Amino acid sequence: MRIVSAPRLAFLLALTTAGALVRAAQAKPLPRLRVSENHRFLVTEKGKPFFWLGDTAWELLHRLNREEVIRYLDSRRKQGFTVVQTVGLAEIEGLGDPNALGASALVDGDPSRPAVTPGSDPKDAAQYDYWDHVDYAVDQAALRGIYIALLPTWGRWVNGPGEVFTPENARTYGEFLGKRYGPKNVIWVLGGDRNPDEPRVQAIWRAMAEGIQRGAGGPNAVLMTFHPTGSATSSTWFHDDPWLDLNMQQNGHCTDTDVWNRIGRDYARTPVKPVLDGEPLYEDHPICFDAKERGYSDAYEVRKFAYWDVFAGACGHTYGNHSIWQMHAPSHGGGINGPLNYWYEAIDHPGSKQMQFVRKLIESRPMLRRVPDQALLASDAGTEGEHVQATRASDGSYAFVYLPLGRPVKVHMSRISGKEASASWYDPRTGVTKRIGSYQATGEREFTPPSMGRGHDWVLVLDAVGR
């Protein structure tokens, strides 16, 4: 009988477990996503609610090797993220500079000629091409229950310095991507920080959308949106296009932007479509790009946007970190706009760990009934950084009120159904709930949070007793 040492046994078990996980992922791909019946949220193909908790990793496919991809994805799985936003043809010299393994995305920078080679062995550089590496990241994300929100290209390559796209090659490139990733855990995001104000640019994006749909097997096979520049929304150009399933906004990198109004405007549009803030203020980002005068953002600033956006009607939220979106590392010099850390240091920063708590709160109640409801407030909602945002179930079974400064709030208790409401405080920093008590669901009542001031944000939770 052969005796296997403990370290060797652990190694073999790890291999076996990893192999089993890979086989499970291949046998059971993540369910397709679609828009809910009320057109406000995302659900799986069987109707299970899906909360978009995204992280911004624009340079993931371009700058990280295989081991680094795993390190990044493992961190995001543990932190509860459900979506990772990244780019096929990256912004930072994505056409000129090869990826971390030395492979280029296109032949001679031509979008109609993706650089693909026979085989996919990562030990053989002649086989393991750029798109094999994209396959690897997409599959590893699926293994961890994460969807990839894939931008086929950053916007600069469509309208900006070095643009290479036409409607014809955009359609061809889109079809290549649709065929390759249509059956996988991919959400499609056109755009990339450029606004398509010119008709010729809009034609390119529409052709790319058509190509993706054709390659993936038709419009019903994909979920698609568009990422614009700061202070903009996809609805400006494409709201009535049938390929645009949900609206995406970029609300930019300043503090206390009135995102509740911006989300509200898209929420009120017809035809009704889900809306999402796909790029708010990143953690550790120079505030309004002015670090000298305004400093850098922190976890509190990014938390505010998450709760303001979601409570105003968004179907989820995207977080970002200034070091992570660009995957900043020692080999990248000073980075773009002064990142404070390397990406592998920033993955555990407080804001990234705290995003899971907004997801947990929303998923703790029937989320498909949720509507924004400022009529719940009996006191002033406030402006800018003091803004109080309320949401509740359409049947009155629960309500949430976000207080960015922990100040007292007065609510109309009659917005809760039944005779009695149970009240509690939810801590956005820890996800811990502290019960307050039960009260008659009539008249007005004031609630004072456990603490007040900057960084002491709270959510008032009201539940109809018996519901």
Side-chain angles (χ1 to χ4, degrees):
M1 178 178 177
R2 183 183 177 189
I3 304 298
V4 181
S5 67
R8 176 66 176 169
L9 180 59
F11 174 72
L12 292 173
L13 287 173
L15 285 179
T16 303
T17 302
L21 286 173
V22 171
R23 288 192 295 274
Q26 292 172 342
K28 294 184 179 180
L30 296 184
R32 290 179 182 260
L33 300 177
R34 62 176 176 83
V35 174
S36 63
E37 296 298 325
N38 64 4
H39 304 286
R40 294 296 187 194
F41 304 98
L42 301 180
V43 296
T44 68
E45 54 197 342
K46 294 185 178 180
K48 181 181 178 181
F50 176 82
F51 186 83
W52 177 308
L53 183 59
D55 185 39
T56 309
W58 298 138
E59 289 286 325
L60 170 71
L61 305 176
H62 186 215
R63 283 188 160 180
L64 298 195
N65 62 32
R66 286 166 66 94
E67 293 76 16
E68 291 167 333
V69 166
I70 294 302
R71 182 174 182 180
Y72 166 77
L73 290 174
D74 278 346
S75 74
R76 288 336 192 203
R77 178 190 61 79
K78 292 175 184 177
Q79 293 161 356
F81 288 92
T82 59
V83 176
V84 165
Q85 297 177 187
T86 191
V87 190
L89 305 180
E91 174 188 17
I92 306 176
E93 303 308 324
L95 297 191
D97 291 347
N99 67 7
L101 299 174
S104 296
L106 306 174
V107 176
D108 297 330
D110 182 354
S112 67
R113 300 170 65 199
V116 294
T117 58
S120 59
D121 185 354
K123 297 178 182 178
D124 184 349
Q127 291 189 34
Y128 194 72
D129 61 47
Y130 186 96
W131 299 103
D132 290 329
H133 194 55
V134 175
D135 294 346
Y136 178 76
V138 170
D139 291 343
Q140 289 297 317
L143 196 63
R144 291 156 178 81
I146 295 173
Y147 290 81
I148 293 293
L150 181 63
L151 281 70
T153 175
W154 200 249
R156 67 170 289 190
W157 307 119
V158 173
N159 59 313
E163 58 189 55
V164 296
F165 277 95
T166 65
E168 292 72 27
N169 63 27
R171 187 178 292 106
T172 300
Y173 176 63
E175 188 167 357
F176 161 76
L177 292 177
K179 287 180 179 178
R180 189 158 185 139
Y181 301 108
K184 294 181 179 289
N185 49 307
V186 170
I187 303 165
W188 299 96
V189 186
L190 303 188
D193 208 25
R194 297 294 187 278
N195 289 342
D197 294 323
E198 302 174 41
R200 71 169 185 89
V201 177
Q202 295 169 22
I204 292 171
W205 291 121
R206 289 185 170 113
M208 192 177 297
E210 178 187 336
I212 291 169
Q213 290 179 335
R214 182 186 300 169
N220 294 331
V222 299
L223 188 72
M224 198 175 299
T225 185
F226 183 95
H227 176 272
T229 193
S231 304
T233 171
S234 59
S235 64
T236 300
W237 307 276
F238 300 120
H239 185 77
D240 293 325
D241 282 35
W243 59 264
L244 189 86
D245 297 298
L246 66 152
N247 279 307
M248 179 176 281
Q249 302 182 1
Q250 181 190 159
N251 281 312
H253 299 284
C254 292
T255 54
D256 301 333
T257 306
D258 66 334
V259 292
W260 50 90
N261 289 327
R262 300 182 184 193
I263 293 291
R265 285 191 286 270
D266 271 350
Y267 189 90
R269 285 181 179 268
T270 54
V272 174
K273 293 185 177 183
V275 58
L276 174 77
D277 190 347
E279 188 173 334
L281 174 63
Y282 294 158
E283 189 172 14
D284 297 334
H285 195 285
I287 296 173
C288 287
F289 296 91
D290 187 1
K292 182 177 180 180
E293 296 295 328
R294 306 191 64 173
Y296 286 77
S297 62
D298 57 14
Y300 170 61
E301 296 296 344
V302 302
R303 279 201 312 273
K304 286 193 293 185
F305 283 117
Y307 288 87
W308 279 336
D309 278 333
V310 173
F311 285 16
C315 65
H317 186 73
T318 295
Y319 160 87
N321 183 288
H322 186 47
S323 298
I324 292 173
W325 76 260
Q326 58 188 286
M327 294 301 172
H328 183 54
S331 60
H332 303 147
I336 297 175
N337 293 321
L340 297 176
N341 305 98
Y342 298 128
W343 72 266
Y344 45 81
E345 299 168 330
I347 55 177
D348 291 318
H349 280 191
S352 62
K353 293 180 179 179
Q354 294 165 357
M355 286 297 107
Q356 62 185 303
F357 301 135
V358 66
R359 175 190 169 192
K360 289 181 178 180
L361 178 64
I362 295 301
E363 290 181 343
S364 70
R365 310 295 194 279
M367 60 183 281
L368 300 185
R369 302 176 189 169
R370 191 173 56 80
V371 296
D373 185 21
Q374 291 299 84
L376 180 68
L377 302 178
S379 53
D380 184 62
T383 60
E384 297 183 343
E386 300 180 0
H387 179 77
V388 175
Q389 183 65 46
T391 185
R392 71 181 181 99
S394 57
D395 62 0
S397 57
Y398 67 89
F400 305 143
V401 183
Y402 179 66
L403 311 173
L405 292 176
R407 293 179 177 173
V409 64
K410 189 179 291 184
V411 299
H412 293 290
M413 297 296 290
S414 59
R415 303 296 283 181
I416 302 299
S417 61
K419 296 181 179 181
E420 194 175 12
S422 175
S424 57
W425 290 113
Y426 185 76
D427 188 342
R429 294 164 293 281
T430 64
V432 173
T433 298
K434 180 180 179 181
R435 190 170 186 276
I436 305 170
S438 295
Y439 306 92
Q440 293 296 309
T442 58
E444 299 176 0
R445 178 168 291 277
E446 185 174 81
F447 295 90
T448 300
S451 59
M452 299 172 60
R454 187 188 187 281
H456 294 268
D457 48 334
W458 293 92
V459 177
L460 173 66
V461 178
L462 299 172
D463 288 299
V465 173
R467 295 295 300 274

